[in-house]
Amino acid sequence: MVLRVADAIIAAEDYLSEADRNLGDGDHGIGMKRGMLAVKEKLAALDGATPIDKIFQTAGMAMMSSMGGASGVIFGSFYLGGAKAVPGIETLDATSFAAFLQGACDAIMTRGKAQPGDKTMVDALHPAAAAAQTAAIHSLADAAEIIATAAEGGREASKEMIATLGRAKTLGEATLGHPDAGACSIAIILRTMADYIAGK
Amino acid sequence: MVLRVADAIIAAEDYLSEADRNLGDGDHGIGMKRGMLAVKEKLAALDGATPIDKIFQTAGMAMMSSMGGASGVIFGSFYLGGAKAVPGIETLDATSFAAFLQGACDAIMTRGKAQPGDKTMVDALHPAAAAAQTAAIHSLADAAEIIATAAEGGREASKEMIATLGRAKTLGEATLGHPDAGACSIAIILRTMADYIAGK
Amino acid sequence: MPLLKKIINDPNACAAELLEGLVEAYNGAARLEGRGSIVMNNLPAGKVGLLVGGGSGHEPIYHGLVGRNLADGAACGDIFAAPPPDIVLEGAQAVNQGNGVLFLYGNYAGDVLNFDLGAEFARDMGIEVETVLIWDDVPSAPPDKKHNRRGIAGLVPIVKLAGAASTKAANLGELVRITTKARDNTRSVGVSSAPGSIPATGKPTFELPDDVIGLGMGIHGEKGVALIPHQTADELAPKLLDIIFGDDLEFKSGDEVVLLVNSLGSTTMMELLIVLRKVKALLNERGIKVHDTLVGPYVTCQEMAGMSISLTKLDAELKELWDMPCSSVCYTKM
Amino acid sequence: MPLLKKIINDPNACAAELLEGLVEAYNGAARLEGRGSIVMNNLPAGKVGLLVGGGSGHEPIYHGLVGRNLADGAACGDIFAAPPPDIVLEGAQAVNQGNGVLFLYGNYAGDVLNFDLGAEFARDMGIEVETVLIWDDVPSAPPDKKHNRRGIAGLVPIVKLAGAASTKAANLGELVRITTKARDNTRSVGVSSAPGSIPATGKPTFELPDDVIGLGMGIHGEKGVALIPHQTADELAPKLLDIIFGDDLEFKSGDEVVLLVNSLGSTTMMELLIVLRKVKALLNERGIKVHDTLVGPYVTCQEMAGMSISLTKLDAELKELWDMPCSSVCYTKM
Ligand SMILES: Nc1ncnc2c1ncn2[C@@H]1O[C@H](COP(=O)(O)OP(=O)(O)O)[C@@H](O)[C@H]1O
Ligand SMILES: Nc1ncnc2c1ncn2[C@@H]1O[C@H](COP(=O)(O)OP(=O)(O)O)[C@@H](O)[C@H]1O
Ligand SMILES: [Mg+2]
Ligand SMILES: [Mg+2]
Ligand SMILES: [Mg+2]
Ligand SMILES: [Mg+2]
């Protein structure tokens, strides 16, 4: 699953950089690709029996240490914070997926001090994590679909926000109408996970 | 007459720079204008009774000390060398005009070591000076017309030459088809003198 | 617009390759430490450490400011990207001589996130770390929100002063005090007229209409005070200085300053000197004495066009530090 | 193409105004003498004089190379135009301390004409004058026609060495000898990818198709060896070095050189460092030792894009001169 996510982000490089060009310095896709290439390399070195949380942790470390920029820490914390919340799990279910996303979101908000509404990737992740809590009663596949949809909704909602953090913060109202680049990445990540889980 | 020449060159700034752009560094018009503005300033400071050779000399000094570049020395030497050849004359006639041009041409060729055929302003001045010798039997106005026509012929002929001196020398065959910028200046100078003498 | 004809190899390897080249430019004085830190060789034992850093692509800073009486090391990220925390840690470890390390860098979200994590890691390993953020860009936030201001070209005099201080400071606290003073005494304001480009995409970093320039724009094209008509150097210079003088740091007759006129890349030295001429006249009018002048492309953003003016007010202590010689790829003073 | 948004005033006053700014950058160390010469203040009595010069618009050279252990003065012309002879004379008079003056400048027709006339005037006034022409640009003429070669970025190490020599030389003859050796030991080759522009017209200095670069092109866009496809730094570096090694100056294993990688303006430090990395590897392969490295925009042509490589071979005498510190706006060495 983590590998599929990596490929999806790598394929979206131009789209993500373009999103960052409207608000930031236009390198979000480049950084995410750099991180995901590192993820693929590190995962390839793991053996088949690696526990799930260890896979998430390896991916997070790979991103954190290869990407740099704001999103290196932020997206590295996504996997690292998520992994910490699901220690030792053997299979991913709707409940552990919700715990993963809550851990990821908490870690990122602690690190980056962003609140929902600041026009960051938190605006896609926070509604997704919230949706995951209520969706935990469903099957994993159904839950993942609900989560992905929530993330995409968050990405769309970020268009109507005014940036207050990161490089875009000095642009103020000029940020209206464009989605946040990091929110676009979160939407891709969670959509790809849902597709993978659904066997698509 | 020298003032009319100055105005004609100033008006031709863009044309001369464009000619230099094809073969050199594109600044011939800028330099000539700088020189001719200095000429106008210095001549304005002379009193009405200034002898002709002194006027030429003043113009040459003004160009030499204001223009810089290859053409500062070369075109300064035009008036300075010409003035030296007609010391103390009171009126310009066809004979003294011929002497002036011969002096100008000799001074420039000594200074710049250019020969006819090197694709420099010498290729307009040298035929003009030669025509002046044979035209000295005519009236000044007729002679000036013959001289101007010879200079224009030289400018045209320079199109067929390969540059061997100055900035254009490293361009070699690529210089074919374009007239030399300095030859364009000489043609303008001598045409303007002819027009002035003819009372046009 | 055609892709720029840059003289590079793999567009994604630019940062790594330029660091290798930079080590060659240092010709033995500095080395590449770990994955992305440039570190001085033969640091004096016990010296208080000074680590700078940030994204690459702004050469000759930051990594060019490593040198004698300058920074001990620089943690370098990819093009326009803050260095990851483990590179910061490697830099801190290499620079630390047992008496702690000051992290000094521009106030950008990505840099703060990564250097702060690097500082956590370093502290976990028993290295004392303090941080001073550079926020000299006046138009980027009001005076009561300095912590929102960006770091731009003023980093050069600030790092110069901090570097000199680091060779004399008895401890990390003293280096923090002096560096904070250098930072608090520095103000910059810039203008942008044309974008640079990102090597990996070839795309311009921002867009501007043909007849306007961005007053107060950041070095990556971040928003400034206003888009104003393109105008002459003599019209522009007083506008820029007025923004500095309108801020909360007093510059009065008799004050001594270091003046930096910086090009963002393709703005020529000719233009900088023409602006300098006017700036100097305006400072003279106010009775402000220029103790030293720096002029050139110190803080760039690829081939971006634009320039900035920085003033650092000197007191006796800073002046003594300023007058110390220093040597690096970016800035050398005899 | 829209007129470039240069930050200037009257486009015809650029040269005059930048000289005024340059004097401010020197901050008391040098002055404007006469109409267009930058001259060091407080020259040692009896010192053999060194006057450099040429057209403006190539900042930080030539007039930025006036400094301690560098040139005593520079005679400056208008943009891309050699200085007129009376400016040369004013420079020579100011620099002369009774023991004569060496004129050292790039081999361009306009410069030769004007400096030669200036030399005549100076000799008429009893000042001893000698001339050494800089002709380091290998592709501009075959080895048996060196007097047809242009002077390009190699002028920086040559002026550095001549400047050091001028403070030690017993007489003008000795300065001529050492400077000639420095010149004869220096080779350069460059490549151009995009034009600069003439401030007074806003027009580009030359034109090049989008996908080619000019190998061996001059710094104003003069013809070179060939128009070649745009290529990577690692492909280009060996081609450039091969042109230098194919010339008549032997570089062999064990030789020591000063290496200069120069930008013509908007080519970034990033690119220079990437090229430097490859050049250093190629020199290593040949056993050539780099004694010192200079990298940056030293010899520019407004915002022109392109770069050059220069090598100066050092013998014991030149090495000692190289190691002397020097200080100026263009180049400072501690
Ligand atoms: N403090 C923060 N908290 C959460 N997300 C952030 C924060 N700062 C930036 N981001 C996210 O990072 C994205 C930008 O990433 P990227 O372009 O890769 O880094 P940089 O800003 O360093 O160029 C933004 O779109 C935003 O979603
Ligand atoms: N040695 C020379 N002898 C005669 N004329 C010359 C010589 N060198 C250059 N010129 C003339 O000068 C012109 C170029 O002048 P200009 O562009 O003003 O100077 P620069 O070459 O210094 O830019 C050429 O077109 C040519 O006619
Ligand atoms: Mg970004
Ligand atoms: Mg010309
Ligand atoms: Mg970035
Ligand atoms: Mg010229």
Side-chain angles (χ1 to χ4, degrees):
Chain A
M1 181 170 80
V2 176
L3 281 176
R4 269 275 287 276
V5 166
D7 287 330
I9 289 287
I10 291 169
E13 175 186 357
D14 289 345
Y15 159 72
L16 295 173
S17 285
E18 193 57 35
D20 192 30
R21 241 167 73 73
N22 294 322
L23 301 174
D25 56 357
D27 61 0
H28 184 60
I30 302 170
M32 290 297 282
K33 179 182 169 194
R34 191 159 63 233
M36 292 304 184
L37 288 172
V39 166
K40 290 181 76 171
E41 198 190 308
K42 294 290 178 197
L43 291 191
L46 293 181
D47 69 31
T50 310
I52 297 180
D53 63 333
K54 187 79 209 306
I55 293 178
F56 287 146
Q57 197 203 357
T58 304
M61 297 277 281
M63 293 180 76
M64 184 88 91
S65 74
S66 67
M67 287 173 61
S71 53
V73 173
I74 296 296
F75 283 84
S77 298
F78 174 81
Y79 281 124
L80 286 176
K84 260 200 191 162
V86 293
I89 55 157
E90 280 169 19
T91 50
L92 201 64
D93 57 23
T95 309
S96 55
F97 196 24
F100 173 88
L101 288 178
Q102 194 57 53
C105 190
D106 290 348
I108 287 171
M109 287 177 63
T110 308
R111 249 317 136 217
K113 302 187 186 73
Q115 295 297 319
D118 284 343
K119 194 168 185 127
T120 69
M121 51 86 84
V122 168
D123 292 305
L125 182 57
H126 192 267
Q133 303 310 315
T134 51
I137 51 164
H138 297 290
S139 73
L140 176 60
D142 288 351
E145 176 61 36
I146 292 168
I147 290 165
T149 307
E152 286 162 351
R155 178 197 64 205
E156 291 306 303
S158 78
K159 286 187 187 171
E160 309 309 319
M161 298 171 185
I162 295 175
T164 55
L165 274 177
R167 261 188 226 287
K169 68 174 170 239
T170 52
L171 285 174
E173 310 231 324
T175 61
L176 279 173
H178 299 288
D180 173 67
C184 294
S185 278
I186 286 292
I188 293 174
I189 292 171
L190 295 177
R191 170 56 59 200
T192 308
M193 287 182 169
D195 286 354
Y196 177 87
I197 290 165
K200 287 189 206 164
Chain B
M1 182 170 79
V2 177
L3 281 176
R4 269 277 286 277
V5 166
D7 287 329
I9 290 286
I10 292 169
E13 174 186 359
D14 289 346
Y15 159 73
L16 295 173
S17 285
E18 193 57 37
D20 191 31
R21 240 166 76 74
N22 294 321
L23 301 172
D25 54 357
D27 62 0
H28 185 60
I30 302 170
M32 289 298 281
K33 178 182 169 193
R34 192 161 60 232
M36 291 305 183
L37 288 173
V39 166
K40 290 182 74 170
E41 198 190 309
K42 293 289 179 201
L43 290 191
L46 293 181
D47 70 31
T50 311
I52 297 179
D53 62 332
K54 187 78 207 306
I55 293 176
F56 288 146
Q57 197 203 355
T58 304
M61 298 276 279
M63 293 180 79
M64 185 89 93
S65 75
S66 66
M67 286 173 62
S71 53
V73 174
I74 296 298
F75 284 85
S77 298
F78 174 81
Y79 279 125
L80 286 176
K84 260 200 193 159
V86 292
I89 54 156
E90 281 169 15
T91 50
L92 201 65
D93 57 23
T95 309
S96 55
F97 196 25
F100 171 89
L101 288 178
Q102 195 57 52
C105 191
D106 290 348
I108 287 170
M109 288 177 65
T110 310
R111 248 320 135 211
K113 301 186 187 72
Q115 294 298 318
D118 285 341
K119 195 169 185 124
T120 68
M121 52 83 85
V122 168
D123 293 305
L125 182 56
H126 193 267
Q133 304 310 316
T134 51
I137 51 166
H138 297 293
S139 72
L140 175 61
D142 288 351
E145 176 63 34
I146 293 168
I147 290 165
T149 306
E152 286 161 351
R155 177 197 64 205
E156 292 305 305
S158 77
K159 288 187 186 169
E160 310 309 320
M161 299 171 185
I162 295 176
T164 55
L165 274 176
R167 262 188 224 287
K169 68 176 171 237
T170 52
L171 286 173
E173 310 230 324
T175 61
L176 279 172
H178 298 288
D180 173 66
C184 295
S185 278
I186 286 292
I188 291 173
I189 292 171
L190 295 177
R191 169 56 60 201
T192 307
M193 287 182 170
D195 285 355
Y196 177 86
I197 289 164
K200 283 188 206 163
Chain C
M1 200 174 72
L3 257 181
L4 275 162
K5 288 182 274 183
K6 292 227 174 191
I7 305 170
I8 58 177
N9 297 304
D10 174 1
N12 288 304
C14 285
E17 291 190 357
L18 82 84
L19 279 189
E20 288 176 39
L22 185 64
V23 170
E24 300 302 343
Y26 273 106
N27 219 22
R31 69 183 184 280
L32 182 63
E33 176 79 27
R35 282 194 303 135
S37 290
I38 298 285
V39 176
M40 278 299 275
N41 289 322
N42 310 315
L43 286 172
K47 178 182 183 307
V48 180
L50 178 64
L51 183 74
V52 299
S56 294
H58 303 289
E59 290 67 35
I61 64 114
Y62 269 100
H63 13 303
L65 274 171
V66 172
R68 200 176 126 199
N69 288 344
L70 286 166
D72 298 322
C76 313
D78 218 294
I79 304 295
F80 304 156
D86 49 341
I87 289 186
V88 173
L89 174 64
E90 285 165 353
Q93 286 178 295
V95 158
N96 180 45
Q97 302 295 312
N99 284 315
V101 181
L102 175 64
F103 287 4
L104 176 62
Y105 56 91
N107 185 28
Y108 291 92
D111 294 281
V112 173
L113 285 167
N114 285 279
F115 273 91
D116 276 357
L117 252 183
E120 276 179 36
F121 295 168
R123 286 195 196 100
D124 288 348
M125 306 190 63
I127 300 173
E128 202 187 346
V129 175
E130 295 288 345
T131 294
V132 174
L133 294 175
I134 296 171
W135 50 49
D136 56 309
D137 186 14
V138 174
S140 57
D144 57 334
K145 294 213 171 123
K146 289 233 182 66
H147 59 280
N148 279 338
R149 285 188 178 171
R150 303 178 285 251
I152 58 170
L155 72 89
V156 177
I158 293 170
V159 171
K160 152 69 180 125
L161 289 166
S166 76
T167 50
K168 300 185 107 189
N171 53 50
L172 185 55
E174 198 185 331
L175 179 55
V176 168
R177 177 187 64 78
I178 298 172
T179 303
T180 303
K181 180 163 70 176
R183 191 269 315 272
D184 290 344
N185 276 10
T186 299
R187 295 290 184 282
S188 302
V189 57
V191 71
S192 304
S193 52
S197 62
I198 302 182
T201 63
K203 296 244 175 81
T205 45
F206 58 89
E207 266 147 40
L208 262 189
D210 274 350
D211 51 351
V212 303
I213 57 175
L215 180 64
M217 250 173 112
I219 61 175
H220 310 86
E222 298 96 333
K223 189 181 183 240
V225 177
L227 295 181
I228 57 173
H230 174 224
Q231 50 200 274
T232 67
D234 285 1
E235 288 164 336
L236 188 60
K239 291 198 180 89
L240 295 178
L241 280 181
D242 281 349
I243 289 174
I244 292 180
F245 291 137
D247 202 37
D248 64 347
L249 176 67
E250 196 190 15
F251 288 92
K252 58 180 190 307
S253 181
D255 280 348
E256 292 190 87
V257 297
V258 169
L259 167 63
L260 163 62
V261 183
N262 181 67
S263 164
L264 283 165
S266 61
T267 292
T268 60
M269 271 290 263
M270 175 185 86
E271 292 159 86
L272 299 185
L273 292 170
I274 291 173
V275 171
L276 168 57
R277 165 187 156 278
K278 183 66 179 178
V279 168
K280 188 66 190 298
L282 293 166
L283 294 177
N284 280 347
E285 273 175 28
R286 286 177 177 257
I288 297 167
K289 185 167 178 293
V290 175
H291 179 66
D292 202 357
T293 308
L294 278 67
V295 51
Y298 288 99
V299 176
T300 71
C301 183
Q302 297 294 308
E303 66 288 346
M304 180 172 169
M307 48 79 58
S308 62
I309 299 171
S310 303
L311 293 181
T312 299
K313 192 158 107 173
L314 301 176
D315 63 8
E317 183 181 42
L318 294 179
K319 193 168 160 183
E320 196 187 318
L321 292 169
W322 185 267
D323 289 339
M324 284 171 66
C326 65
S327 174
S328 69
V329 168
C330 172
Y331 179 58
T332 296
K333 183 182 164 63
M334 200 172 103
Chain D
M1 200 173 74
L3 255 182
L4 276 162
K5 288 182 273 183
K6 292 227 174 191
I7 304 170
I8 57 176
N9 297 305
D10 175 1
N12 288 304
C14 286
E17 291 189 356
L18 81 84
L19 279 188
E20 289 176 37
L22 185 64
V23 171
E24 299 302 343
Y26 274 106
N27 219 23
R31 68 182 184 280
L32 181 63
E33 176 80 27
R35 281 195 304 137
S37 290
I38 298 285
V39 177
M40 279 297 276
N41 289 324
N42 310 315
L43 287 171
K47 178 183 183 305
V48 180
L50 177 65
L51 184 75
V52 299
S56 295
H58 303 289
E59 290 67 39
I61 66 117
Y62 268 99
H63 13 302
L65 275 171
V66 172
R68 201 175 127 198
N69 288 344
L70 286 164
D72 298 323
C76 314
D78 219 294
I79 305 295
F80 303 156
D86 48 341
I87 289 185
V88 174
L89 174 63
E90 285 165 354
Q93 285 178 295
V95 157
N96 180 44
Q97 303 294 311
N99 285 315
V101 181
L102 175 65
F103 287 5
L104 176 63
Y105 56 91
N107 185 28
Y108 291 91
D111 294 282
V112 174
L113 285 167
N114 286 280
F115 274 91
D116 276 357
L117 253 183
E120 275 180 35
F121 295 167
R123 287 195 195 98
D124 287 349
M125 305 191 63
I127 301 172
E128 203 187 345
V129 175
E130 295 288 347
T131 294
V132 175
L133 295 175
I134 296 171
W135 50 48
D136 55 309
D137 186 16
V138 174
S140 57
D144 59 333
K145 293 216 173 121
K146 290 234 181 67
H147 59 279
N148 279 338
R149 286 187 178 171
R150 301 179 285 252
I152 58 168
L155 73 89
V156 177
I158 294 169
V159 171
K160 152 69 179 124
L161 290 166
S166 76
T167 51
K168 299 184 110 192
N171 53 50
L172 185 55
E174 199 185 330
L175 179 57
V176 168
R177 177 186 63 77
I178 298 172
T179 302
T180 304
K181 180 163 70 176
R183 190 268 316 272
D184 290 345
N185 277 9
T186 300
R187 294 291 184 280
S188 303
V189 58
V191 71
S192 303
S193 52
S197 62
I198 301 182
T201 64
K203 295 245 176 81
T205 45
F206 59 89
E207 266 147 41
L208 263 189
D210 275 350
D211 51 351
V212 303
I213 56 175
L215 180 65
M217 249 173 112
I219 60 173
H220 310 85
E222 298 96 332
K223 188 180 182 242
V225 177
L227 295 181
I228 57 173
H230 174 223
Q231 51 200 272
T232 66
D234 285 1
E235 287 164 336
L236 188 60
K239 292 198 181 89
L240 295 178
L241 279 181
D242 281 349
I243 289 174
I244 291 180
F245 292 136
D247 202 37
D248 64 347
L249 176 67
E250 197 190 18
F251 288 92
K252 56 180 194 306
S253 182
D255 280 350
E256 292 190 87
V257 298
V258 169
L259 166 64
L260 163 63
V261 182
N262 181 66
S263 164
L264 283 164
S266 61
T267 292
T268 60
M269 270 291 264
M270 175 185 85
E271 292 159 86
L272 299 185
L273 292 169
I274 291 171
V275 171
L276 169 58
R277 165 186 155 280
K278 183 68 180 177
V279 167
K280 188 67 189 300
L282 293 165
L283 293 176
N284 280 347
E285 273 174 28
R286 286 177 176 257
I288 297 167
K289 185 168 177 296
V290 176
H291 178 66
D292 202 356
T293 308
L294 277 68
V295 51
Y298 288 99
V299 176
T300 71
C301 184
Q302 296 293 307
E303 67 288 346
M304 182 172 167
M307 49 79 58
S308 63
I309 298 170
S310 303
L311 293 181
T312 300
K313 191 159 108 172
L314 301 176
D315 63 7
E317 184 181 41
L318 294 180
K319 193 168 159 183
E320 197 186 318
L321 293 169
W322 185 267
D323 289 339
M324 283 170 66
C326 65
S327 173
S328 69
V329 168
C330 173
Y331 179 59
T332 296
K333 183 181 161 64
M334 201 173 102

